[in-house]
Amino acid sequence: MSLGKFLKSRAFLINLLIAVVLVTILLVATMQALKLYTHHGSSYPVPNFTGIGIEEAIEKAQAGHLKIEVIDSVYNKKFNPGEIVDQQPVANSKVKQNRTIFITINSLEPETVVLPKLTDISYRQAQVLIENCGLFIGNLSYQPSEYNDLVLEVQQDSSEVFAGDKIIKGSNVDLIIGRSKGNLKTPLPNLTGFTIEEAESILTDAKLNQGVLIYDNTIETAEDSLNAKVWKQAPNPKFVSLVELGSSIDLWLTIDSVKVNKAYDQ
């Protein structure tokens, strides 16, 4: 039989059809197996682990078909020792089953830093030194001095601290600053729409103090408090343009974007 007749024969066509069917079945089976292996189309929301302990986080992760791994520890005064302060991927992200969530916990024992010499230098110089060593400026107070804007004393928890003392990293130090003239004033910043961290930085630069923090009923978790934004402040910068150095500014915070936007328009 010639090749041409063989290719047109019934037996060849039947075998070719069987081969095509088998290949198709094999391809479909392979694709389905790959989907099952990679959990194609199935994803799980990442829980919010911020502000909870590691044991509770493990339970939440297992319930959500996820794993967690501690990759770092930091000291954050806003969290209790051992609590989770950060996570990647972030909460509510969609991930595949058995995905590892990397978390950062708050140190059980806070790291300390050596306090640099902050007295007899200007406030701006002291501000840079404080930030560079991982500390924060707390309360600012002023007292008469022949040298204006000079740091006269450094305190923590109402006790004087000195250069060389070990201070908990991330904590606040209070500064007593000299004032050679009368009641010096500074422009009052408008803090509407800023987070508390941003507002604290602006107040520090303006040589003002953070006063009372008032959270509305939208704030329910530690993460909410970190993401909350200022919608009201006292004194109100729309009516008061200048305040005395060292004045305290009270802040109202919310995560309600409508309330914040209304505050802009008023």
Side-chain angles (χ1 to χ4, degrees), residues 34-82:
L34 286 173
K35 287 182 179 181
L36 291 173
Y37 180 75
T38 59
H39 305 287
H40 179 75
S42 63
S43 60
Y44 298 84
V46 177
N48 180 15
F49 296 112
T50 305
I52 65 175
I54 188 67
E55 292 184 1
E56 183 180 351
I58 291 174
E59 292 179 359
K60 290 181 71 172
Q62 291 175 342
H65 305 282
L66 302 170
K67 301 176 183 178
I68 62 171
E69 180 180 337
V70 178
I71 59 170
D72 197 8
S73 64
V74 297
Y75 178 72
N76 188 321
K77 62 183 179 180
K78 297 178 181 178
F79 292 86
N80 294 321

Side-chain angles (χ1 to χ4, degrees), residues 133-244:
C133 69
L135 298 173
F136 295 95
I137 295 177
N139 188 63
L140 300 176
S141 57
Y142 291 80
Q143 69 179 42
S145 170
E146 60 179 315
Y147 301 106
N148 192 52
D149 207 35
L150 198 72
V151 177
L152 305 177
E153 187 176 317
V154 184
Q155 294 184 349
Q156 190 172 65
D157 299 326
S158 300
S159 298
E160 186 173 5
V161 289
F162 303 91
D165 288 351
K166 289 186 176 181
I167 306 293
I168 294 175
K169 187 175 183 179
S171 61
N172 293 342
V173 290
D174 304 326
L175 302 180
I176 299 175
I177 303 170
R179 183 163 57 190
S180 61
K181 301 178 182 179
N183 294 330
L184 298 178
K185 293 183 179 292
T186 184
L188 175 63
N190 186 343
L191 303 173
T192 302
F194 289 102
T195 65
I196 184 58
E197 184 176 352
E198 293 168 337
E200 287 176 348
S201 178
I202 294 170
L203 289 173
T204 297
D205 288 340
K207 299 180 184 177
L208 298 171
N209 292 311
Q210 173 196 292
V212 178
L213 298 181
I214 304 167
Y215 295 94
D216 69 4
N217 57 11
T218 65
I219 311 299
E220 298 179 348
T221 66
E223 185 179 19
D224 288 342
S225 65
L226 293 175
N227 294 327
K229 294 184 177 181
V230 176
W231 69 275
K232 180 180 175 182
Q233 70 182 78
N236 189 329
K238 295 180 181 178
F239 306 110
V240 179
S241 59
L242 298 173
V243 292
E244 291 185 14

